[in-house]
Amino acid sequence: IDRIGIRRVPAGGTNRSVPIGTSGSSYSPLIITGQAGHTTDDLSVGLAPNVYLNSFSGDRYTSDVVDRTWTIDEGNPGGSLLTLTFGWTPQEETPGFDRVRSYVIRHSGGNWISGPVSASCNVIPYTQMVTDVSTLGRFAVRSESLVVRTNGGNVYPNPARNEIQVVVNMLE
């Protein structure tokens, strides 16, 4: 894990930007904001390439994620109430990742816990935010796959307009 220095994060809406990457050509910044009720603390931030089922082990996610895992640790555990804004560049997205249906996930020690789905900011670096964070640890950004179960249907390509029309018979 590449780790960047400790940042003192005060309460009351002050942003702390953490410019971090996994190489000279990687840029996955993190913005940490202490909300009202946050206890001023020193936080350290780490970044690792890839996202794994068990945080840093097990099967690797090869689709539908930003291929980075951020680790955020507190100097004094407890008392945090933060807004975290995770940033990434297009080359860090795995196949199938959908910025419009993305969200932040946090590893609980046993599994990944999903936050609410929302569209990410569509300016590079792209960003996704989660608020009211009181438990720190490992975080990643994932997208929701759009899967539709059907009774069949037809696909009509329209190469003149670079579109595909899908007509489905929905299950009841």
Side-chain angles (χ1 to χ4, degrees), residues 51-54 57-61:
V51 179
Y52 293 95
L53 181 63
N54 298 319
S57 65
D59 293 335
R60 178 178 167 214
Y61 286 95

Side-chain angles (χ1 to χ4, degrees), residues 24-84:
S25 62
S26 166
Y27 184 56
S28 307
L30 174 66
I31 298 171
I32 305 170
T33 306
Q35 296 177 207
H38 169 73
T39 303
T40 298
D41 201 353
D42 295 325
L43 305 180
S44 64
V45 177
L47 181 68
N50 308 320
V51 179
Y52 293 95
L53 181 63
N54 298 319
S55 183
F56 282 123
S57 65
D59 293 335
R60 178 178 167 214
Y61 286 95
T62 57
S63 64
D64 303 316
V65 296
V66 173
D67 210 14
R68 298 291 179 263
T69 301
W70 290 263
T71 301
I72 307 168
D73 293 314
E74 297 174 278
N76 297 303
S80 287
L81 187 57
L82 304 168
T83 295
L84 303 174

Side-chain angles (χ1 to χ4, degrees), residues 104-116:
V104 175
I105 56 177
R106 181 184 61 81
H107 202 273
S108 68
N111 59 329
W112 289 101
I113 299 170
S114 301

Side-chain angles (χ1 to χ4, degrees), residues 37-162:
H38 169 73
T39 303
T40 298
D41 201 353
D42 295 325
L43 305 180
S44 64
V45 177
L47 181 68
N50 308 320
V51 179
Y52 293 95
L53 181 63
N54 298 319
S55 183
F56 282 123
S57 65
D59 293 335
R60 178 178 167 214
Y61 286 95
T62 57
S63 64
D64 303 316
V65 296
V66 173
D67 210 14
R68 298 291 179 263
T69 301
W70 290 263
T71 301
I72 307 168
D73 293 314
E74 297 174 278
N76 297 303
S80 287
L81 187 57
L82 304 168
T83 295
L84 303 174
T85 305
F86 299 89
W88 68 92
T89 56
Q91 63 266 26
E92 296 167 345
E93 297 175 351
T94 60
F97 182 78
D98 183 354
R99 287 180 221 116
V100 174
R101 302 178 59 77
S102 63
Y103 51 94
V104 175
I105 56 177
R106 181 184 61 81
H107 202 273
S108 68
N111 59 329
W112 289 101
I113 299 170
S114 301
V117 174
S118 66
S120 65
C121 174
N122 207 21
V123 177
I124 298 173
Y126 303 122
T127 59
Q128 184 56 271
M129 176 189 338
V130 63
T131 61
D132 302 324
V133 177
S134 59
T135 303
L136 300 180
R138 295 189 176 112
F139 295 85
V141 178
R142 188 169 188 187
S143 69
E144 189 173 73
S145 297
L146 186 57
V147 177
V148 177
R149 299 187 191 285
T150 71
N151 260 343
N154 297 299
V155 176
Y156 302 100
N158 183 345
R161 295 186 59 193
N162 200 23

